[in-house]
């Protein structure tokens, strides 16, 4: 047991926890005023729903002893056997602390998806979706990559969750946007963000929390955490700059929403690579992420599906680029315990990264889609047209975000 | 009596009000309004999407004056609200049939 590592991981876990209310602010500012609370609620309540799932069976499905590379067994059901001593995933911190850190990841991942179906999903449907998705998509994919499953055994690198969290949520978001359909009035009347300053603050909190996310994924306070911390900063900064540069060239103005979207895209893209690449590689990964994600936002505008807050472009494609970039830029000179990427003489790693990413895409898209279809047929996914016009704050929660006078 | 309605750029309000005060205009009603003329609206960009916001914020002044003052008031608004650029606004003059001061019951010119 190491008290330095333990204190660092307690803080890192708390930082990752803070990302979820940060996300609530980020998303909340981007919707119309009549849906601000419903949108923030969908992020915030994940802190409750997923915590419960995680304690009862989520953790053991993800990190329990491997069953055929597919899923964890129920050995740790109800956190039985998860102690305050170092465990199988952590030699220097309490096993329960590793479980806490991973819980925060499990919380934010379904919250990320909510950006796709913002402003139109029933709260009850959302609750069912979150519980089922955590169980049937997040836990298995987490197991595949980190819990001793087949993707980890394949040798795919995912430092802090580019595949587990971002590709996974981004692809589920695509399924959700396609199945729930476009918002009423989409392309007929302007649907504009109601409070961008809120979104900027939310994105800032995400960036802040992301240091816990990426540096904490070293599971120890030391060289690797420092590398991941630094890479996180420079990749995100680079992506914010490249997004607004691309935007300036394409549309003539550098927007604040572009700057914060770029930063988030950079954070997403560096996540899988954070502990495997050097700082210059991190800058390149960020620069490309800002441009690629902005391009996919433009593609969405033409494609005609209503991914309300661009989860697919930013998390899906940002995560995909990050996974591939890890296969390009990873270097054993930086992290001797990892592998070299294509640019360091090992093209096989790039292929491995691609297989891992593609497998998660297919799995997440299919299972998320099936879940959403089942919920649509039983509970019903979408609020009634009149409720959508009135706004979800009032119709789903009997509250309004803003009262004047 | 005449009623003068002037739609002007919001940042010109102070200037117009001061000029009208100097002219001896007794009162006015000001509202924040939205609309468009030939200049149309402006463009907003959110992520990839461009939105044309057609209705531009303007200020509307309503002033009731004796008929012999109307031309002078119009001219004053015109000079003080003008920037020379598109979107400076418009002035409408209509005949006013009657006016009543609620407190005293005075009517006509005395009520203005």
């Amino acid at each position: 047991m190491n008290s330095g590592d333990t204190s660092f991981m307690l803080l890192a876990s708390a930082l990752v926890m803070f990302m979820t209310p940060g996300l609530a602010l980020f998303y909340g500012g981007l919707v119309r005023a009549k849906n601000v609370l419903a949108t923030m609620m969908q992020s915030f309540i994940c802190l409750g729903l997923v915590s419960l799932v995680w304690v009862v069976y989520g953790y053991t499905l993800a990190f329990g002893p491997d069953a055929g590379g597919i899923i964890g067994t129920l050995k740790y059901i109800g956190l039985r056997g998860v102690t305050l001593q170092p465990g199988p995933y952590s030699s220097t911190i309490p096993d329960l602390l590793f479980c806490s850190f991973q819980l925060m990841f499990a919380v934010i991942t379904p919250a990320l998806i909510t950006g796709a179906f913002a402003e139109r999903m029933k709260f009850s449907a959302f609750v069912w979706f979150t519980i089922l998705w955590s169980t049937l998509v997040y836990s298995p994919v987490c197991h595949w990559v980190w819990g001793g499953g087949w993707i980890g055994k394949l040798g795919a690198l995912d430092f802090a969750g580019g595949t587990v969290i971002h590709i996974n949520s981004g692809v589920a978001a695509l399924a959700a946007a396609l199945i729930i359909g476009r918002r009423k009035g989409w392309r007929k009347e302007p649907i504009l963000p109601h409070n961008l300053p809120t979104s900027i603050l939310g994105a800032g909190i995400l960036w802040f929390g992301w240091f816990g996310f990426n540096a904490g994924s070293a599971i120890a306070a030391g060289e690797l955490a420092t590398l991941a911390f630094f890479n996180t900063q420079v990749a995100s900064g680079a992506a914010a700059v490249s997004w607004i540069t691309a935007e300036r060239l394409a549309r003539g103005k550098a927007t604040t929403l572009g700057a914060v979207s770029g930063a988030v895209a950079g954070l997403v893209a560096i996540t899988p690579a954070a502990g495997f690449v050097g700082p210059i590689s991190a800058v390149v990964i960020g620069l490309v992420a800002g441009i690629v994600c902005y391009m996919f936002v433009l593609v969405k505008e033409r494609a005609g599906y209503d991914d309300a807050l661009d989860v697919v472009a930013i998390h899906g494609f940002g995560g995909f680029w990050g996974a591939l970039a890890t296969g390009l830029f990873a270097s054993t000179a930086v992290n001797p315990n990892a592998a070299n990427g294509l640019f360091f003489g090992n093209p096989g790693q790039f292929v491995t990264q691609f297989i891992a990413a593609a497998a998660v895409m297919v799995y997440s898209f299919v299972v998320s889609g099936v879940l959403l279809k089942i919920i649509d047929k039983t509970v019903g996914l979408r609020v009634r047209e009149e409720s959508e016009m009135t706004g979800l704050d009032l119709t789903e929660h009997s509250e309004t975000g803003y009262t004047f006078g | 009596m005449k009623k003068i309605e002037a739609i002007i750029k919001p940042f010109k309000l102070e200037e117009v009000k001061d000029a009208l005060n100097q002219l001896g205009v007794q009162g006015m009603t000001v509202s924040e309004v939205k609309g468009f003329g030939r200049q149309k609206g402006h463009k907003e960009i959110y992520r990839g999407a461009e939105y044309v916001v057609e209705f531009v914020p303007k200020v509307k002044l309503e002033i009731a004056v004796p008929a012999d003052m109307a031309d002078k008031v119009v001219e004053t608004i015109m000079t003080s609200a003008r920037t020379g650029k598109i979107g400076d606004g418009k002035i409408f003059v209509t005949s006013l049939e009657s006016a009543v001061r609620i407190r005293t019951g005075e009517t006509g010119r005395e009520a203005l």
Side-chain angles (χ1 to χ4, degrees):
Chain A
M1 190 80 80
N2 178 308
S3 65
D5 288 349
T6 302
S7 60
F8 169 64
M9 290 306 295
L10 285 166
L11 281 173
S13 304
L15 280 171
V16 182
M17 177 272 158
F18 198 37
M19 291 171 74
T20 296
L23 183 74
L25 283 173
F26 182 53
Y27 281 177
L30 290 178
V31 297
R32 289 165 291 181
K34 63 186 178 182
N35 294 317
V36 59
L37 293 178
T39 302
M40 295 182 82
M41 177 69 145
Q42 289 181 349
S43 289
F44 195 86
I45 204 62
C46 286
L47 287 160
L49 294 171
V50 180
S51 293
L52 294 173
V53 168
W54 198 245
V55 166
V56 179
Y57 58 78
Y59 180 69
T60 195
L61 290 181
F63 290 98
D66 179 53
I70 303 298
I71 194 79
T73 56
L74 296 178
K75 186 179 174 194
Y76 305 137
I77 192 161
L79 299 191
R80 196 178 58 189
V82 178
T83 69
L84 296 176
Q85 298 307 310
Y89 296 96
S90 54
S91 53
T92 62
I93 65 168
D95 202 15
L96 186 63
L97 180 48
F98 177 79
C99 173
S100 318
F101 183 63
Q102 288 296 336
L103 163 59
M104 304 312 174
F105 284 58
V107 165
I108 196 170
T109 311
L112 292 170
I113 307 170
T114 65
F117 49 70
E119 303 196 292
R120 58 211 192 272
M121 191 185 273
K122 274 188 193 174
F123 184 65
S124 55
F126 158 78
V127 169
W128 281 111
F129 175 69
T130 300
I131 293 170
L132 293 170
W133 194 86
S134 292
T135 309
L136 297 172
V137 183
Y138 186 80
S139 284
V141 169
C142 181
H143 181 78
W144 295 356
V145 177
W146 291 330
W150 71 273
I151 288 180
K153 285 179 188 154
L154 199 66
L157 297 173
D158 185 1
F159 190 73
T163 304
V164 178
I165 289 140
H166 299 291
I167 293 177
N168 201 1
S169 60
V171 172
L174 180 61
L178 292 172
I179 289 170
I180 198 167
R182 300 160 182 168
R183 284 169 291 180
K184 191 172 162 50
W186 185 82
R187 295 268 169 97
K188 293 196 192 80
E189 58 195 62
I191 300 179
L192 305 182
H194 89 284
N195 193 341
L196 282 183
T198 294
S199 295
I200 295 168
L201 178 62
I205 292 172
L206 280 174
W207 191 334
F208 176 69
W210 225 293
F211 290 118
F213 200 90
N214 286 358
S217 290
I219 317 291
E223 296 91 336
L224 194 53
T226 307
L227 177 72
F229 187 103
F230 192 83
N231 285 343
T232 301
Q233 174 64 21
V234 295
S236 313
V241 171
S242 69
W243 182 304
I244 60 163
T245 306
E247 200 178 41
R248 173 74 199 250
L249 294 172
R251 291 277 195 270
K253 285 282 182 353
T255 67
T256 56
L257 181 55
V260 295
S261 304
V264 174
L267 290 160
V268 168
I270 197 59
T271 292
F276 303 130
V277 303
I280 297 297
S281 300
V283 168
V284 176
I285 290 171
L287 287 173
V288 174
I291 294 164
V292 165
C293 293
Y294 177 59
M295 279 169 44
F296 276 106
V297 166
L298 297 184
V299 167
K300 181 204 76 169
E301 285 301 312
R302 295 185 179 198
Y305 62 93
D306 185 15
D307 170 14
L309 310 181
D310 291 312
V311 191
V312 179
I314 294 177
H315 295 276
F317 286 103
F320 186 56
W321 158 242
L324 296 183
T326 308
L328 297 174
F329 293 98
S331 163
T332 51
V334 177
N335 183 342
N337 297 320
N340 277 322
L342 177 70
F343 294 156
F344 295 89
N346 178 20
Q349 190 61 40
F350 184 79
V351 177
T352 308
Q353 296 297 113
F354 182 83
I355 292 169
V360 171
M361 281 179 180
V362 172
Y363 181 77
S364 180
F365 187 80
V366 171
V367 180
S368 306
V370 170
L371 287 179
L372 287 158
K373 281 284 186 192
I374 292 171
I375 294 168
D376 195 24
K377 292 278 181 274
T378 51
V379 183
L381 267 186
R382 190 162 177 155
V383 297
R384 288 182 315 163
E385 200 169 299
E386 190 185 344
S387 305
E388 197 174 326
M389 289 293 283
T390 310
L392 271 56
D393 290 4
L394 205 54
T395 57
E396 291 290 295
H397 303 286
S398 290
E399 292 171 296
T400 51
Y402 307 98
T403 305
F404 299 101
Chain B
M1 289 179 297
K2 297 282 183 189
K3 184 180 171 197
I4 297 166
E5 271 185 17
I7 315 286
I8 62 169
K9 287 186 168 172
F11 85 103
K12 280 289 187 182
L13 178 61
E14 281 297 309
E15 220 171 305
V16 172
K17 186 201 74 186
D18 291 346
L20 289 173
N21 268 340
Q22 282 192 348
L23 199 67
V25 169
Q26 300 284 340
M28 63 184 74
T29 305
V30 178
S31 357
E32 290 176 8
V33 294
K34 283 182 172 190
F36 65 87
R38 293 183 194 179
Q39 97 274 20
K40 298 298 176 200
H42 62 267
K43 191 172 71 182
E44 294 185 17
I45 308 168
Y46 297 101
R47 293 236 171 89
E50 290 185 10
Y51 300 89
V52 178
V53 178
E54 288 180 332
F55 298 105
V56 186
K58 296 283 173 188
V59 165
K60 182 169 81 171
L61 298 175
E62 289 168 276
I63 308 156
V65 292
D68 52 16
M69 262 183 87
D71 287 347
K72 196 75 192 145
V73 168
V74 169
E75 201 187 304
T76 306
I77 295 174
M78 221 168 71
T79 47
S80 55
R82 176 183 286 159
T83 67
K85 294 197 190 96
I86 199 156
D88 271 354
K90 285 203 172 57
I91 303 170
F92 307 106
V93 183
T94 47
S95 295
L96 195 57
E97 277 185 17
S98 66
V100 181
R101 172 171 284 141
I102 293 174
R103 176 168 57 86
T104 58
E106 287 163 290
T107 55
R109 280 189 75 134
E110 284 68 40
L112 294 181

